[in-house]
Amino acid sequence: MTLYEVRGVSYRYNLDRHGVQALCGVDLNVRKGEFMAISGPSGSGKTTLLNILGLLERPCEGTVRLDGAEVSGMSERERTRLRRERIGFIFQTFNLIPVLTSYENVEYFLLRRTMPGVEVRRRVLQALEAVGISAQADQRPNGMSGGQRQRVAIARALVRDADVILADEPTAALDQATGLAVMDLMRRLNHERGVTFVFSTHDPRILAAADRVVQLTDGRVIK
Amino acid sequence: MRRVPILFRLALRNVFRNRRRSMYALATVAMGAMGLFVFMGFNRGLMNQYRANTIRARWGHGQLYVRGYRGVAHVRPWEKWIQKPEPVMERLRALPGVVDLFPRLTISAMVMAGGGAVAGQGEGIDGIAEARFFDQLNFTEGGNFENRADGIVLGQGLAQGLGVHVKDEVLLVARDRTMTIRSARVIVTGVFHTGSQEFDSRAFRLPIKIAQRLLGTDRVESISVALSGVELWPAFAMAAAAALPELEAVPFDELDKVYYRHAVDWLDAQFSFIRSIILLVVFLGIFNVISMTVMERTAEIGTLRASGDSRLEIALGHILEAIALGVLGGFIGLLAGCALSAGPLREGVAMPPAPGITRSFRIFIELGLRDALQVLLLCALTAAAGCLLPVWRATRIPIADALRHV
């Protein structure tokens, strides 16, 4: 079952009047439940590809289908709704809200749903438990280690029952052991819950954990 | 709607996220709120004192005239004066809110003493009744003539012009309605000043019986009304119109339109201008703080947008934060305003004489709950307005650019 179908996608940045070709005719399929890595040197277009998959940017050329529906031409409102309901994000720098506790950071994105308060609480605690951070539920991000913060970020992406979680260099800001632990956690959640993970990295040990590695160079898929 | 509580929580916590910056914003709003609140109290004190002075120095809460008399020049004005004033006053006393009534008769006369003569404009009054209510007439010498049948009180300028003092005799010379010259000798019992130099240089008051005798009439020109409260005037005026349709009830602010009404309007306009400046300072303070805040939180805004928050929700969060700053700063300002008026300004503010006024006075700061609520509302609205542009800009940043922001 294909989750994403990317066909002929190109993207060009305009920097100081000079165009920079970030992606050039990318073709890619992502299967549901896949644990896929995007690899490549800096500037190869990894983040741009993840942004396009995450509906954060629109390709200059080509099409992107999510579950068969063409999403590049959708209205901003529709894309916002899709991001909210189907896509989770994990960032290199965690991007948690510093004035909210771990629990509240996870809860914040769930409160939009028409769900009883008891159910919200149950799901938030379950998500925190799944990433092994329930003991820090009342702590704010500033008092936590990088690994703990990234676990909260994973719980935040997980709690909404997203079809796919896109992670841009999720281990880059962590030490090696913590990075591997976070990757193990992602892998476990992928196995147990069937959530599709697409992540970018250039760490070979992290790449080894992936089902499939897509190699990008100069905006082109070379493998 | 379910997110409103957490948005509020987030907004309140964000207020204290960068304490130094929040302190700066709170101080700006608090100073503005304190300034507005105290200035409103000062303005209210000024207006109330001015109103009390206007009512209790000269006009009462209003006056009654024969309909069609006031504001029109009459060849034979005495024909438009109130006939048989006693029965009229009996009926007026039964109307709601009436505390006292004062029949009056205006008289133009030459006031003569020691070989000098000054044209004066006087009022015949009931000395005993008026002494009870008109307590803002300031005597520099002596006092009211009260029940003395041949007493007169002179305005300060008039007494100085004639060179007379208390217990001196003056001669009043006037023409009656048949143009016959009549005169009366009266004794000065007091010299007063109202604060208005122009008025004090020609005004005198004498027993109404003498004025009626000099003018050859038993009528009165007007009846001043003292009510138990200024707010009772509309009800009284309606009742008077129903009971005595031939009379017209005119409130004090209409009688003293040139001085009182215009002064109030002038002060209101001045206050609006100062309020605008204060609110502009608050606006700029909030604008500055929210602009810096938004720049600092660009990546966070990107994260929220990436995770499905709409532009409106992002804006709402920041607007709530600005409103929280406005209300909190406003509340601190109100407390500071209360402390200021209860402390250093407890004895009021000494004011120099106003234009056309000869005496200085003190204005007491009269703080009101309604003013406090108005200040809080203004602070909240100004703070919300101050954050709109930076927040609008923030929500327009492409999500990917926002996420790249360091």
Side-chain angles (χ1 to χ4, degrees):
Chain A
M1 290 281 283
T2 305
L3 183 66
Y4 279 111
E5 276 182 65
V6 178
R7 292 290 174 267
V9 163
S10 296
Y11 192 88
R12 190 179 174 84
Y13 288 103
N14 288 316
L15 296 173
D16 299 331
R17 296 182 192 171
H18 299 292
V20 175
Q21 194 72 37
L23 292 176
C24 189
V26 170
D27 293 327
L28 179 72
N29 282 356
V30 179
R31 292 188 302 278
K32 283 185 180 171
E34 197 169 12
F35 195 71
M36 193 186 97
I38 301 171
S39 173
S42 293
S44 59
K46 301 188 295 294
T47 299
T48 305
L49 182 55
L50 282 173
N51 284 347
I52 286 172
L53 294 178
L55 315 189
L56 304 181
E57 301 202 72
R58 294 174 194 268
C60 300
E61 289 171 33
T63 58
V64 178
R65 289 180 181 277
L66 176 61
D67 253 351
E70 216 288 297
V71 291
S72 355
M74 281 182 174
S75 69
E76 194 50 48
R77 191 173 180 160
E78 190 63 16
R79 285 160 67 89
T80 300
R81 187 186 63 76
L82 278 178
R83 281 199 305 273
R84 185 160 61 224
E85 292 176 359
R86 305 195 60 182
I87 305 170
F89 291 91
I90 299 170
F91 302 99
Q92 181 181 333
T93 49
F94 326 125
N95 292 23
L96 299 174
I97 302 172
V99 290
L100 297 182
T101 62
S102 303
Y103 180 92
E104 289 166 336
N105 262 288
V106 178
E107 180 195 32
Y108 181 86
F109 296 96
L110 205 57
L111 287 174
R112 187 191 304 277
R113 307 268 176 100
T114 50
M115 191 183 286
V118 176
E119 177 64 8
V120 169
R121 183 166 176 77
R122 190 188 66 77
R123 288 178 66 163
V124 172
L125 291 175
Q126 196 178 47
L128 291 171
E129 183 71 41
V131 298
I133 204 82
S134 51
Q136 283 77 32
D138 294 329
Q139 279 190 27
R140 290 193 186 178
N142 288 348
M144 300 166 78
S145 69
Q148 287 173 326
R149 287 190 219 180
Q150 198 59 298
R151 282 166 189 268
V152 176
I154 294 169
R156 181 178 66 182
L158 205 63
V159 77
R160 294 183 294 157
D161 281 339
D163 296 329
V164 58
I165 293 178
L166 304 171
D168 190 8
E169 309 255 13
T171 58
L174 305 174
D175 62 64
Q176 199 173 54
T178 311
L180 286 170
V182 165
M183 194 47 63
D184 284 346
L185 171 64
M186 286 167 55
R187 181 84 241 195
R188 181 167 59 80
L189 292 170
N190 167 252
H191 276 306
E192 289 175 0
R193 300 185 174 220
V195 184
T196 308
F197 275 84
V198 181
F199 58 94
S200 66
T201 184
H202 40 230
D203 184 336
R205 274 164 300 190
I206 303 293
L207 287 173
D211 291 339
R212 179 159 67 110
V213 177
V214 172
Q215 184 74 40
L216 275 179
T217 302
D218 295 334
R220 294 171 196 274
V221 177
I222 58 166
K223 193 172 79 174
Chain B
M1 284 302 289
R2 298 190 61 207
R3 301 183 88 201
V4 170
I6 200 168
L7 281 174
F8 262 118
R9 217 181 312 159
L10 184 59
L12 280 176
R13 289 185 195 170
N14 274 332
V15 166
F16 296 104
R17 188 156 158 184
N18 185 325
R19 289 189 182 174
R20 186 179 295 178
R21 191 182 304 152
S22 294
M23 286 303 123
Y24 163 73
L26 286 173
T28 306
V29 178
M31 291 292 282
M34 185 188 72
L36 267 182
F37 191 41
V38 172
F39 190 61
M40 283 167 114
F42 173 83
N43 215 34
R44 182 186 299 278
L46 181 65
M47 297 293 189
N48 285 349
Q49 185 168 333
Y50 195 31
R51 187 178 65 187
N53 193 54
T54 304
I55 290 171
R56 289 194 173 255
R58 190 170 173 194
W59 299 106
H61 289 98
Q63 294 189 347
L64 291 144
Y65 297 88
V66 170
R67 199 169 289 280
Y69 172 73
R70 203 179 74 87
V72 181
H74 298 280
V75 177
R76 287 184 288 277
W78 52 86
E79 290 178 358
K80 287 279 191 177
W81 290 346
I82 300 168
Q83 293 183 58
K84 296 183 179 139
E86 282 308 323
V88 170
M89 286 168 61
E90 277 309 305
R91 294 181 69 184
L92 287 172
R93 278 186 216 284
L95 297 183
V98 175
V99 172
D100 223 335
L101 296 167
F102 317 103
R104 288 182 176 182
L105 183 57
T106 303
I107 177 170
S108 297
M110 291 301 291
V111 188
M112 304 163 79
V118 175
Q121 182 79 16
E123 266 187 329
I125 61 167
D126 177 343
I128 295 173
E130 298 234 350
R132 286 196 297 262
F133 185 77
F134 292 94
D135 54 7
Q136 294 289 311
L137 203 63
N138 296 286
F139 284 95
T140 55
E141 271 186 72
N144 264 316
F145 49 81
E146 297 195 347
N147 59 350
R148 183 168 179 160
D150 61 347
I152 187 169
V153 292
L154 302 176
Q156 195 173 32
L158 181 60
Q160 284 170 354
L162 291 168
V164 296
H165 297 278
V166 170
K167 294 183 180 169
D168 288 347
E169 185 183 82
V170 296
L171 178 67
L172 295 174
V173 179
R175 284 182 189 275
D176 70 7
R177 60 196 173 96
T178 61
M179 301 306 283
T180 306
I181 292 175
R182 297 186 183 218
S183 65
R185 291 192 179 279
V186 286
I187 304 296
V188 178
T189 65
V191 176
F192 66 86
H193 74 102
T194 60
S196 168
Q197 202 166 9
E198 187 192 351
F199 180 74
D200 293 349
S201 63
R202 58 190 169 82
F204 62 88
R205 284 179 169 180
L206 75 168
I208 195 164
K209 295 288 180 198
I210 298 179
Q212 285 174 323
R213 183 156 52 80
L214 286 170
L215 294 174
T217 182
D218 58 357
R219 299 183 180 195
V220 298
E221 186 183 12
S222 66
I223 298 170
S224 279
V225 183
L227 300 175
S228 50
V230 70
E231 70 284 354
L232 298 173
W233 178 263
F236 166 80
M238 276 182 66
L244 297 155
E246 70 279 13
L247 297 185
E248 176 190 20
V250 186
F252 76 95
D253 55 347
E254 181 67 28
L255 292 167
D256 199 13
K257 193 172 183 178
V258 172
Y259 287 102
Y260 181 77
R261 191 71 257 161
H262 290 182
V264 168
D265 292 345
W266 189 81
L267 287 167
D268 275 347
Q270 193 183 34
F271 173 65
S272 298
F273 179 71
I274 292 172
R275 181 175 55 194
S276 305
I277 291 174
I278 292 173
L279 290 178
L280 182 66
V281 171
V282 172
F283 178 90
L284 290 175
I286 293 288
F287 179 86
N288 197 17
V289 166
I290 298 288
S291 293
M292 286 192 279
T293 298
V294 163
M295 193 187 294
E296 190 181 83
R297 294 187 204 156
T298 303
E300 192 175 305
I301 290 170
T303 307
L304 295 175
R305 294 269 291 122
S307 303
D309 268 12
S310 65
R311 288 188 170 121
L312 184 67
E313 285 169 311
I314 300 285
L316 183 64
H318 283 87
I319 290 169
L320 281 175
E321 186 178 336
I323 289 174
L325 265 175
V327 171
L328 194 59
F331 191 70
I332 294 168
L334 292 180
L335 290 179
C338 289
L340 193 65
S341 63
L345 298 179
R346 194 177 58 239
E347 300 301 324
V349 180
M351 298 291 288
I357 303 287
T358 54
R359 64 191 169 94
S360 57
F361 53 102
R362 292 191 87 78
I363 299 297
F364 290 92
I365 310 296
E366 294 183 24
L367 302 178
L369 180 63
R370 201 170 156 183
D371 291 346
L373 294 175
Q374 199 181 341
V375 166
L376 274 186
L377 185 66
L378 278 173
C379 286
L381 290 177
T382 309
C387 83
L388 286 181
L389 182 61
V391 167
W392 182 81
R393 278 186 190 153
T395 58
R396 309 311 295 182
I397 301 172
I399 302 171
D401 291 351
L403 286 169
R404 275 192 289 270
H405 197 274
V406 181

mmCIF file of all heavy atoms in Angstrom, chain B residues 203-218:
data_model
loop_
_atom_site.group_PDB
_atom_site.id
_atom_site.type_symbol
_atom_site.label_atom_id
_atom_site.label_comp_id
_atom_site.label_asym_id
_atom_site.label_seq_id
_atom_site.Cartn_x
_atom_site.Cartn_y
_atom_site.Cartn_z
ATOM 1 N N ALA B 203 -21.868 92.945 40.659
ATOM 2 C CA ALA B 203 -22.975 92.219 41.291
ATOM 3 C C ALA B 203 -23.261 92.715 42.703
ATOM 4 O O ALA B 203 -22.360 93.107 43.435
ATOM 5 C CB ALA B 203 -22.635 90.735 41.337
ATOM 6 N N PHE B 204 -24.559 92.697 43.027
ATOM 7 C CA PHE B 204 -24.964 92.923 44.420
ATOM 8 C C PHE B 204 -26.211 92.091 44.692
ATOM 9 O O PHE B 204 -26.901 91.663 43.759
ATOM 10 C CB PHE B 204 -25.200 94.411 44.707
ATOM 11 C CG PHE B 204 -26.309 95.040 43.907
ATOM 12 C CD1 PHE B 204 -27.632 95.013 44.363
ATOM 13 C CD2 PHE B 204 -26.039 95.681 42.699
ATOM 14 C CE1 PHE B 204 -28.645 95.600 43.630
ATOM 15 C CE2 PHE B 204 -27.053 96.269 41.949
ATOM 16 C CZ PHE B 204 -28.370 96.233 42.419
ATOM 17 N N ARG B 205 -26.462 91.859 45.957
ATOM 18 C CA ARG B 205 -27.668 91.135 46.363
ATOM 19 C C ARG B 205 -28.326 91.873 47.495
ATOM 20 O O ARG B 205 -27.631 92.399 48.382
ATOM 21 C CB ARG B 205 -27.304 89.717 46.791
ATOM 22 C CG ARG B 205 -27.010 88.852 45.593
ATOM 23 C CD ARG B 205 -26.630 87.458 45.991
ATOM 24 N NE ARG B 205 -26.611 86.619 44.804
ATOM 25 C CZ ARG B 205 -26.315 85.340 44.799
ATOM 26 N NH1 ARG B 205 -26.014 84.742 45.930
ATOM 27 N NH2 ARG B 205 -26.331 84.654 43.681
ATOM 28 N N LEU B 206 -29.652 91.884 47.409
ATOM 29 C CA LEU B 206 -30.391 92.624 48.445
ATOM 30 C C LEU B 206 -31.703 91.908 48.700
ATOM 31 O O LEU B 206 -32.088 91.021 47.908
ATOM 32 C CB LEU B 206 -30.613 94.067 47.994
ATOM 33 C CG LEU B 206 -31.670 94.357 46.933
ATOM 34 C CD1 LEU B 206 -31.930 95.856 46.861
ATOM 35 C CD2 LEU B 206 -31.273 93.837 45.578
ATOM 36 N N PRO B 207 -32.406 92.246 49.770
ATOM 37 C CA PRO B 207 -33.677 91.574 50.046
ATOM 38 C C PRO B 207 -34.655 91.792 48.892
ATOM 39 O O PRO B 207 -34.738 92.897 48.343
ATOM 40 C CB PRO B 207 -34.163 92.252 51.329
ATOM 41 C CG PRO B 207 -32.923 92.746 51.979
ATOM 42 C CD PRO B 207 -32.026 93.154 50.866
ATOM 43 N N ILE B 208 -35.390 90.722 48.548
ATOM 44 C CA ILE B 208 -36.272 90.785 47.381
ATOM 45 C C ILE B 208 -37.356 91.853 47.554
ATOM 46 O O ILE B 208 -37.816 92.452 46.576
ATOM 47 C CB ILE B 208 -36.874 89.392 47.085
ATOM 48 C CG1 ILE B 208 -37.485 89.369 45.679
ATOM 49 C CG2 ILE B 208 -37.861 88.956 48.150
ATOM 50 C CD1 ILE B 208 -37.764 87.988 45.137
ATOM 51 N N LYS B 209 -37.735 92.094 48.806
ATOM 52 C CA LYS B 209 -38.789 93.111 49.056
ATOM 53 C C LYS B 209 -38.310 94.486 48.586
ATOM 54 O O LYS B 209 -39.083 95.259 48.008
ATOM 55 C CB LYS B 209 -39.134 93.169 50.552
ATOM 56 C CG LYS B 209 -39.759 91.910 51.073
ATOM 57 C CD LYS B 209 -41.180 91.759 50.573
ATOM 58 C CE LYS B 209 -41.830 90.474 51.112
ATOM 59 N NZ LYS B 209 -43.007 90.087 50.332
ATOM 60 N N ILE B 210 -37.043 94.806 48.852
ATOM 61 C CA ILE B 210 -36.511 96.112 48.415
ATOM 62 C C ILE B 210 -36.479 96.169 46.889
ATOM 63 O O ILE B 210 -36.861 97.179 46.280
ATOM 64 C CB ILE B 210 -35.094 96.350 48.984
ATOM 65 C CG1 ILE B 210 -35.137 96.375 50.512
ATOM 66 C CG2 ILE B 210 -34.511 97.656 48.449
ATOM 67 C CD1 ILE B 210 -33.773 96.573 51.162
ATOM 68 N N ALA B 211 -36.041 95.052 46.273
ATOM 69 C CA ALA B 211 -35.983 95.020 44.804
ATOM 70 C C ALA B 211 -37.376 95.210 44.218
ATOM 71 O O ALA B 211 -37.562 95.951 43.243
ATOM 72 C CB ALA B 211 -35.380 93.698 44.348
ATOM 73 N N GLN B 212 -38.382 94.522 44.827
ATOM 74 C CA GLN B 212 -39.764 94.652 44.319
ATOM 75 C C GLN B 212 -40.254 96.097 44.473
ATOM 76 O O GLN B 212 -40.940 96.629 43.601
ATOM 77 C CB GLN B 212 -40.682 93.685 45.068
ATOM 78 C CG GLN B 212 -40.493 92.239 44.601
ATOM 79 C CD GLN B 212 -41.285 91.236 45.428
ATOM 80 O OE1 GLN B 212 -41.425 91.394 46.648
ATOM 81 N NE2 GLN B 212 -41.773 90.192 44.773
ATOM 82 N N ARG B 213 -39.881 96.703 45.631
ATOM 83 C CA ARG B 213 -40.316 98.092 45.859
ATOM 84 C C ARG B 213 -39.670 99.034 44.837
ATOM 85 O O ARG B 213 -40.339 99.897 44.251
ATOM 86 C CB ARG B 213 -39.933 98.528 47.285
ATOM 87 C CG ARG B 213 -40.411 99.935 47.641
ATOM 88 C CD ARG B 213 -40.541 100.091 49.156
ATOM 89 N NE ARG B 213 -39.342 99.688 49.883
ATOM 90 C CZ ARG B 213 -38.264 100.443 50.017
ATOM 91 N NH1 ARG B 213 -38.203 101.627 49.462
ATOM 92 N NH2 ARG B 213 -37.235 100.015 50.728
ATOM 93 N N LEU B 214 -38.366 98.832 44.586
ATOM 94 C CA LEU B 214 -37.670 99.704 43.618
ATOM 95 C C LEU B 214 -38.244 99.538 42.205
ATOM 96 O O LEU B 214 -38.288 100.496 41.434
ATOM 97 C CB LEU B 214 -36.171 99.383 43.601
ATOM 98 C CG LEU B 214 -35.365 99.861 44.817
ATOM 99 C CD1 LEU B 214 -33.952 99.269 44.785
ATOM 100 C CD2 LEU B 214 -35.286 101.389 44.833
ATOM 101 N N LEU B 215 -38.680 98.316 41.883
ATOM 102 C CA LEU B 215 -39.196 98.077 40.530
ATOM 103 C C LEU B 215 -40.716 98.223 40.447
ATOM 104 O O LEU B 215 -41.307 98.091 39.361
ATOM 105 C CB LEU B 215 -38.791 96.677 40.061
ATOM 106 C CG LEU B 215 -37.284 96.477 39.876
ATOM 107 C CD1 LEU B 215 -36.954 95.029 39.558
ATOM 108 C CD2 LEU B 215 -36.745 97.374 38.756
ATOM 109 N N GLY B 216 -41.344 98.440 41.589
ATOM 110 C CA GLY B 216 -42.789 98.656 41.616
ATOM 111 C C GLY B 216 -43.577 97.433 41.196
ATOM 112 O O GLY B 216 -44.498 97.513 40.382
ATOM 113 N N THR B 217 -43.238 96.287 41.713
ATOM 114 C CA THR B 217 -43.946 95.050 41.341
ATOM 115 C C THR B 217 -44.023 94.107 42.539
ATOM 116 O O THR B 217 -43.222 94.233 43.485
ATOM 117 C CB THR B 217 -43.207 94.337 40.182
ATOM 118 O OG1 THR B 217 -43.940 93.178 39.816
ATOM 119 C CG2 THR B 217 -41.801 93.917 40.568
ATOM 120 N N ASP B 218 -45.002 93.187 42.515
ATOM 121 C CA ASP B 218 -45.030 92.129 43.535
ATOM 122 C C ASP B 218 -44.686 90.783 42.892
ATOM 123 O O ASP B 218 -44.842 89.741 43.496
ATOM 124 C CB ASP B 218 -46.402 92.074 44.214
ATOM 125 C CG ASP B 218 -47.525 91.830 43.213
ATOM 126 O OD1 ASP B 218 -47.236 91.768 41.989
ATOM 127 O OD2 ASP B 218 -48.678 91.697 43.652
#
